[in-house]
Amino acid sequence: MVNYIIFGVSISVISWMVGIIFNSILVKTKYYERLSHMNFIDSKILNKYLGLKYFKWIVKNTFFKYFNQKIQLRNGKADLAEVRKEMTYAETSHLIGFIFVGVFAIYWSVTRSFLFGFIIMIANTLMNLYPSLLQQENKRRIDKLIKNQ
């Protein structure tokens, strides 16, 4: 079971690099503009039930806060459009990583065991889907700030 968890976390970390690579290709296409405005969950209530508030606290108060320094607002001096662009890039990279690991999880569920695939998807959800949902929520907040400027 511990090996399943280690594998799930490892493949999720590897998926970050896969997401960045494929996103750098995708950003050059005409479809990327549509991706910058997608929202999976608009409801604040549903985000609350999913525990996004707690995930946000973890990101802000642990070593994860050092991962992407480009998407932080410091003393109100940041270019909001550039921060939003970086958020979109991070969000899309995590979504690509989520899909990548999802394929592995399905494969391992069929070839090894359902439990193995399930544990991989738990790690994948925490390390790819939740960061993407958090970026979407933050983009909505940034959009309000941009609109008020």
Side-chain angles (χ1 to χ4, degrees):
M1 177 97 143
V2 173
N3 289 338
Y4 293 177
I5 295 169
I6 291 170
F7 184 82
V9 170
S10 299
I11 192 111
S12 293
V13 170
I14 290 168
S15 76
W16 293 345
M17 274 74 77
V18 171
I20 290 170
I21 291 167
F22 280 100
N23 196 21
S24 64
I25 295 167
L26 186 62
V27 78
K28 296 173 181 150
T29 67
K30 62 182 178 180
Y31 303 108
Y32 197 76
E33 179 61 30
R34 278 194 234 157
L35 292 175
S36 70
H37 298 292
M38 71 177 159
N39 279 311
F40 293 123
I41 301 173
D42 287 328
S43 170
K44 290 181 182 182
I45 295 169
L46 187 53
N47 280 337
K48 179 183 174 185
Y49 285 124
L50 289 173
L52 207 54
K53 178 176 82 169
Y54 302 110
F55 184 78
K56 182 178 182 178
W57 184 91
I58 290 169
V59 170
K60 285 175 63 174
N61 295 299
T62 64
F63 64 92
F64 289 112
K65 68 182 170 187
Y66 299 112
F67 275 22
N68 195 345
Q69 296 292 307
K70 293 179 182 178
I71 58 175
Q72 293 183 355
L73 297 176
R74 291 189 182 95
N75 302 326
K77 296 180 182 178
D79 177 12
L80 295 178
E82 187 64 29
V83 171
R84 189 185 191 292
K85 179 180 159 190
E86 290 297 329
M87 285 179 173
T88 301
Y89 193 83
E91 169 197 0
T92 308
S93 294
H94 279 293
L95 285 175
I96 292 168
F98 182 76
I99 293 167
F100 174 77
V101 175
V103 170
F104 271 90
I106 291 168
Y107 173 77
W108 288 105
S109 291
V110 171
T111 61
R112 297 279 173 116
S113 74
F114 176 76
L115 179 63
F116 194 19
F118 183 71
I119 290 173
I120 291 171
M121 280 308 291
I122 290 172
N124 189 25
T125 300
L126 293 173
M127 297 179 75
N128 279 315
L129 185 61
Y130 269 69
S132 185
L133 292 175
L134 182 61
Q135 293 304 335
Q136 287 183 2
E137 181 179 295
N138 288 338
K139 279 190 337 186
R140 287 190 293 271
R141 292 173 44 216
I142 290 285
D143 287 341
K144 287 180 186 176
L145 290 174
I146 290 172
K147 187 178 179 181
N148 290 335
Q149 279 187 338

